[in-house]
Amino acid sequence: MSATAETSATAGVPTIDRFRRVVVKVGSSLLVDRARGRLKHAWLAALAEDIAELHGRGADVLVVSSGAIALGRTVLGLPSGPLKLEESQAAAAVGQIALSRTWAEVLAHHGITAGQILVTLADTEERRRYLNARATTARLLEMRAVPVINENDTVATSEIRYGDNDRLAARVATMAGADLLVLLSDIDGLYTAPPGSDPDAKLIPVVARITRDIEAMAGGAASELSRGGMRTKVEAGKIATAGGTHMVITDGRVKNPLRAIAEGARCTWFLTPSNPVTARKKWIAGTLEAKGALVVDEGAARALRSGASLLPAGVRRVEGHFARGDAVIIRDEAGGEIGRGLVAYDVEDAQRIAGRASRDIEQILGHPGRAEMVHRDDMTLAGG
């Protein structure tokens, strides 16, 4: 198979400084010195410099960090090799404390606040919980904090977990509307064959589209500290690019790995033809079954077509049976479809606040609520 058939010239490779929201995934083998049983503090400090540089020029940065189990198993004196589920959960409980403290310290050195988010598979797959996780992440970014995200290994079981942080990072990237996902690995990219066993293997600098041939090039897991290998990285690439996010795989073992990408280090870029906003809107428009409808007045209809969110005040009538996070049709009073979106309220609450000002929501419902019935980022308009 000719690699050039599915790649573009390196001249078309984007530069890391053009991205506005970047997710950086850090693997266990990069963070943890297994032989000495501790974090690689010098390496992590250098990565924090890179993150601070991106942050300082105005980019939003999120970190998906492995390492909790690897740290905790050392503290608890657990042997090498596969762990039982309860041993992994115990190791994660111990290691997560050290991991989160370390991230907070290295980022604080640059005047950056870190916020910890622990997620499970359900938090990114079930729309109701997905919206909660997305809202929390968005608020942290608005306050210029760096969310540090990991799978909640203390409670997730083998049947309801991602099992690797590559795919989790891709889900986080699409959830957060990131335009770049960086996978820091112990290999500098995707090769035509496993480079450890094939001396003729060649690095593929750019993947324009992930095909079966591209997937077949992926190898197995690299080490006991990491559940993922190149296969999961390619799977992450499929998730990310479908969501409008570019992805790059590079060797994270070097000092200042993000700076190295900017300076032309060897890596593999997985390109997307879309962007996070348009990809999300296509998903809402074409793949979700509408559970109900919101009928809006003329003023709200005009505002929506001008790019505004749908506020409760503009809703005249609520139809159907839906829960928060479900897709609904937005109609004008003549019955014409204006668009579709993910509603921020259950049907009962939506009926109670319809036609009312956003400032009255807390008084009506007895608890704070979102100002928008449907946020513009969760909406796609008919015909565009």
Side-chain angles (χ1 to χ4, degrees):
M1 179 255 179
S2 170
T4 57
E6 298 300 340
T7 63
S8 61
T10 55
V13 171
T15 56
I16 197 169
D17 60 359
R18 59 163 271 196
F19 295 100
R20 62 173 184 81
R21 182 165 292 176
V22 181
V23 174
V24 181
K25 183 264 178 179
V26 183
S28 295
S29 60
L30 299 177
L31 269 175
V32 181
D33 184 337
R34 182 74 173 107
R36 304 175 72 178
R38 64 186 187 187
L39 285 164
K40 300 176 182 177
H41 289 282
W43 178 87
L44 185 55
L47 175 60
E49 290 177 2
D50 289 355
I51 291 171
E53 187 174 338
L54 287 176
H55 192 270
R57 66 167 177 77
D60 295 328
V61 184
L62 304 88
V63 175
V64 174
S65 177
S66 303
I69 293 177
L71 279 174
R73 70 186 296 162
T74 299
V75 174
L76 294 173
L78 296 171
S80 60
L83 297 175
K84 297 178 181 178
L85 175 61
E86 60 271 20
E87 291 175 331
S88 293
Q89 292 173 329
V94 172
Q96 192 63 50
I97 294 173
L99 186 64
S100 58
R101 181 179 65 243
T102 300
W103 275 111
E105 290 173 350
V106 297
L107 292 173
H109 182 72
H110 298 278
I112 299 172
T113 299
Q116 183 189 56
I117 301 178
L118 297 177
V119 299
T120 63
L121 178 66
D123 294 323
T124 58
E125 297 297 317
E126 296 177 11
R127 285 202 295 276
R128 189 182 185 94
R129 295 168 69 172
Y130 169 94
L131 288 177
N132 282 332
R134 187 169 180 262
T136 300
T137 302
R139 189 68 183 116
L140 284 170
L141 293 174
E142 287 173 9
M143 295 187 287
R144 299 298 291 152
V146 170
V148 178
I149 302 161
N150 195 7
E151 184 157 18
N152 194 349
D153 290 303
T154 60
V155 299
T157 65
S158 57
E159 292 80 16
I160 57 168
R161 69 191 315 278
Y162 277 99
D164 69 86
N165 272 1
D166 294 324
R167 284 175 291 193
L168 173 61
R171 290 293 188 199
V172 167
T174 58
M175 178 181 73
D179 45 9
L180 177 63
L181 167 61
V182 180
L183 298 186
L184 298 180
S185 181
D186 51 10
I187 189 170
D188 52 11
L190 176 67
Y191 282 75
T192 54
S197 57
D198 186 345
D200 295 324
K202 293 180 173 57
L203 178 75
I204 301 176
V206 183
V207 175
R209 185 166 65 91
I210 298 174
T211 64
R212 289 182 180 178
D213 289 331
I214 291 293
E215 292 181 83
M217 296 176 187
S223 75
E224 69 172 32
L225 293 185
S226 172
R227 299 187 191 90
M230 191 54 66
R231 179 180 57 79
T232 66
K233 289 172 175 54
V234 172
E235 287 294 321
K238 291 167 66 177
I239 295 168
T241 55
T245 302
H246 292 295
M247 188 181 86
V248 61
I249 302 171
T250 193
D251 191 340
R253 293 172 295 185
V254 301
K255 189 176 181 182
N256 299 104
L258 301 183
R259 186 182 303 167
I261 296 173
E263 294 173 352
R266 286 166 61 86
C267 57
T268 297
W269 285 88
F270 291 76
L271 304 182
T272 177
S274 186
N275 64 63
V277 174
T278 58
R280 179 174 174 79
K281 289 181 181 292
K282 286 179 182 177
W283 172 68
I284 292 170
T287 64
L288 297 179
E289 177 188 358
K291 301 293 188 181
L294 302 174
V295 179
V296 304
D297 62 27
E298 184 179 344
R302 283 198 305 269
L304 294 178
R305 293 188 178 105
S306 299
S309 297
L310 176 59
L311 303 181
V315 178
R316 290 296 191 203
R317 192 166 67 253
V318 176
E319 301 174 349
H321 300 279
F322 54 80
R324 179 172 181 266
D326 281 340
V328 294
I329 298 172
I330 303 170
R331 301 187 189 280
D332 59 28
E333 292 185 277
E337 181 173 331
I338 297 172
R340 296 180 179 231
L342 303 184
V343 65
Y345 290 92
D346 295 337
V347 63
E348 294 84 2
D349 286 346
Q351 290 169 337
R352 293 172 66 190
I353 64 175
R356 304 293 294 273
S358 296
R359 63 177 177 274
D360 297 332
I361 291 174
E362 183 172 2
Q363 180 181 350
I364 296 168
L365 300 182
H367 58 80
R370 306 213 189 284
E372 307 86 3
M373 188 82 83
V374 180
H375 194 278
R376 63 184 181 183
D377 290 345
D378 296 326
M379 183 192 310
T380 178
L381 300 182

